[in-house]
Amino acid sequence: MVDVAKGVIELVSGKVRNRQGPLQMSDALETLGLESLDVLELTFAIEEKFNIEIPFNANTEFDFKTVGELVHAVEGLVAKKTASA
Amino acid sequence: VNRVVITGLGTVSPVGLSTPSYWAALTAGQSGFGPPTMAAADRINTKVVAEVKGFVPADHFDSRQISLLDRVSQFAVVAAREAIAQSGLSFRDGLGERTAAIVGSGIGGQSTQDESFKRIYGENAARVNPLIIPRTMPNAPASQISMFFGIKGPTYAVSTACASATHSIGQAFHLVRAGAVTCAVAGGAEAQLTTGTVKAWEAMRILAPDTCRPFSRERKGMVLGEGAAILVLETLDHAAARGADILGEIVGFGMSADAGDLTAPDPDGMLRAMVAAVADASLPPAAVDHVNAHGTGTTANDAAETAALHKTFGAHATRLAISSTKSMVGHALGAAGALEAVAAVMALHAGIVPPTVNYLGPDPACDLDYVVNEARRRPLNAALSNSFAFGGLNAVLAFRRFGA
């Protein structure tokens, strides 16, 4: 699970536009300057890296408010995939 | 300058394979949505698309013609045939040289390209069909219409994603108004519903999982569609001299670009295109009573379009009867603007505003009159038809009821 957190943070960091220094789990995603296409690309990159499907429709609010919430959601999806494999 | 009138309408749509059947379905509030049935549809998650159903190529073309025509060109030629027949025009005796054919497509011959790439990359085919290139090229619908009907004047495609058809009709309007041609055949065609393309749209995460509910609360995105629509335009003098039935008039065209985000809508760009169309038409804004909205059903578009309508029309915005016919036919991208132009012309002609269906209730960001769920009889004089494309490209046509 540590690997998932590290991988997600690495991918999010690559999209951050307006923040210096390392990301914190408590950082709110909407304060990181991600534009709509950044969110799409980030979601795709996470899905590709962990081979999971993130249920996200751009017409509804992004379900994850902070970096930590996103990490936990991805951890959950990875665990679910491992369990069913 | 010439007045530019419409004397023919042709339609191939998910709710009808002719203009009368399309219009009857729109005014009845019927939607053409259903599960996808294309090849390899089991690979996509999308549950609802708006396919053109019951279209049998052999009903319209012989086998030699079919081998030259991707589905997108088949739609275009069938729609053009209906529109030209209604107009009563023949282009064979010199008029063809004074006639334009401007037909947009966002994507072109997608099923031909899909099939060829599947064979090359997926099946290691050694060779492919020799007609892939001329079937796939985005100008194929325009070229096929030119060849089928003997149109020899300015002929080209416009490809501006979801605004392709509106830009095409606007360009044709300019040519006829300026006297560069006497007649024009203009519109758009799209046949993008392949598994490869739907997967790409899914990746953008803007497709609705349930249905298309423009301007409604709980709207969750767009439904992909396909089809074609063609309008025959000519100078008023030419139409009157031959005693043609005049269905409506194009009075203005406005264009703008956002120069901002690649995909996010911008109310300012929409505003500038609508203002330009109304000004080009020399219409007082209060004379406009109907808008066929871009109305995709995405959260972002419908809120931005509502904001732009408020800014364009001020207090008059609340008196507009606004329809999103995409709630019934889905989003046919490069054909959408032409399908919607046909709907706007028919609305003015018939005095009936088609509804925005699947509406659940108001969203605070969408607070205008969207003619929800049921068509409305209302005498109409002037209408706008809006198209706002990815890439930030906006195009708006202004129509007037002939005789208004």
Side-chain angles (χ1 to χ4, degrees), chain A:
Chain A
M1 284 302 167
V2 173
D3 289 342
V4 171
K6 193 170 162 244
V8 170
I9 288 172
E10 212 170 84
L11 291 171
V12 176
S13 302
K15 292 291 176 194
V16 170
R17 288 172 188 262
N18 58 1
R19 192 177 183 288
Q20 307 291 323
L23 283 179
Q24 305 300 320
M25 290 295 223
S26 58
D27 283 333
L29 290 166
E30 68 173 17
T31 64
L32 301 177
L34 272 58
E35 296 181 356
S36 59
L37 291 181
D38 295 330
V39 174
L40 284 182
E41 289 186 303
L42 176 63
T43 312
F44 171 68
I46 294 171
E47 288 185 336
E48 283 284 282
K49 186 173 180 78
F50 300 106
N51 195 22
I52 53 172
E53 297 269 334
I54 300 176
F56 162 54
N57 178 323
N59 293 286
T60 54
E61 295 239 323
F62 202 59
D63 290 334
F64 323 112
K65 300 288 175 230
T66 64
V67 173
E69 283 180 37
L70 177 61
V71 167
H72 292 312
V74 174
E75 283 173 347
L77 289 165
V78 171
K80 207 162 105 189
K81 191 194 70 177
T82 312
S84 69

Side-chain angles (χ1 to χ4, degrees), chain B:
Chain B
V1 289
N2 295 293
R3 286 175 68 183
V4 180
V5 296
I6 298 152
T7 54
L9 299 171
T11 308
V12 172
S13 83
V15 296
L17 302 180
S18 67
T19 300
S21 58
Y22 168 68
W23 180 243
L26 291 187
T27 51
Q30 289 167 6
S31 83
F33 300 164
T37 63
M38 73 287 275
D42 57 313
R43 298 282 309 280
I44 61 182
N45 301 318
T46 301
K47 301 283 187 293
V48 54
V49 294
E51 293 177 342
V52 168
K53 288 167 281 286
F55 183 89
V56 179
D59 292 349
H60 308 282
F61 305 103
D62 65 35
S63 59
R64 197 176 163 279
Q65 291 170 330
I66 289 170
S67 72
L68 293 165
L69 296 165
D70 181 88
R71 183 170 169 89
V72 71
S73 294
Q74 294 177 17
F75 288 170
V77 171
V78 170
R81 190 180 277 154
E82 181 189 11
I84 292 166
Q86 183 179 23
S87 77
L89 289 169
S90 164
F91 302 113
R92 295 293 174 190
D93 48 1
L95 183 61
E97 290 167 27
R98 293 181 286 120
T99 298
I102 306 177
V103 182
S105 186
I107 294 181
Q110 187 63 41
S111 50
T112 296
Q113 189 170 53
D114 253 47
E115 177 59 26
S116 136
F117 285 1
K118 178 168 78 77
R119 285 177 52 78
I120 296 166
Y121 301 128
E123 300 166 5
N124 287 317
R127 65 194 70 79
V128 293
N129 186 296
L131 298 174
I132 289 166
I133 297 296
R135 284 168 57 117
T136 300
M137 59 192 191
N139 61 302
S143 294
Q144 292 292 349
I145 287 173
S146 152
M147 293 185 291
F148 266 82
F149 305 104
I151 295 168
K152 298 181 176 175
T155 295
Y156 55 91
V158 176
S159 190
T160 50
C162 316
S164 302
T166 303
H167 275 121
S168 297
I169 297 165
Q171 293 265 291
F173 162 65
H174 279 168
L175 289 174
V176 176
R177 183 169 69 176
V181 294
T182 303
C183 303
V185 173
E190 204 74 85
Q192 53 152 347
L193 292 175
T194 69
T195 291
T197 307
V198 176
K199 289 296 284 182
W201 280 99
E202 284 180 348
M204 295 204 77
R205 296 168 188 271
I206 53 172
L207 299 184
D210 48 357
T211 190
C212 179
R213 315 181 183 285
F215 304 107
S216 172
R217 67 176 160 82
E218 293 169 53
R219 64 184 179 280
K220 293 189 176 131
M222 48 189 267
V223 168
L224 291 172
E226 61 175 353
I230 296 290
L231 289 74
V232 174
L233 316 183
E234 57 188 299
T235 64
L236 173 59
D237 290 349
H238 189 261
R242 66 190 188 89
D245 275 341
I246 293 172
L247 307 171
E249 182 171 4
I250 303 186
V251 288
F253 179 45
M255 297 179 267
S256 71
D258 298 341
D261 195 282
L262 186 61
T263 56
D266 174 6
D268 182 62
M270 297 172 169
L271 164 76
R272 287 184 293 111
M274 283 193 276
V275 167
V278 171
D280 187 44
S282 302
L283 282 172
V288 175
D289 25 39
H290 170 49
V291 176
N292 191 305
H294 188 54
T296 54
T298 64
T299 314
N301 173 81
D302 297 359
E305 187 167 11
T306 299
L309 285 161
H310 274 293
K311 280 192 189 164
T312 305
F313 290 99
H316 181 67
T318 58
R319 292 191 287 274
L320 296 167
I322 300 161
S323 308
S324 171
T325 43
K326 288 190 179 80
S327 63
M328 294 174 275
V329 300
H331 193 348
L333 309 193
L339 289 167
E340 291 158 19
V342 168
V345 171
M346 290 300 297
L348 291 169
H349 192 62
I352 301 174
V353 185
T356 303
V357 302
N358 304 320
Y359 188 84
L360 297 175
D363 165 3
C366 301
D367 56 356
L368 293 170
D369 174 5
Y370 306 107
V371 191
V372 300
N373 295 336
E374 272 187 49
R376 185 183 302 162
R377 274 190 190 282
R378 171 174 163 176
L380 300 172
N381 290 313
L384 299 186
S385 182
N386 287 346
S387 296
F388 307 127
F390 276 179
L393 310 182
N394 310 300
V396 176
L397 286 161
F399 297 94
R400 191 162 55 192
R401 179 170 60 80
F402 187 68

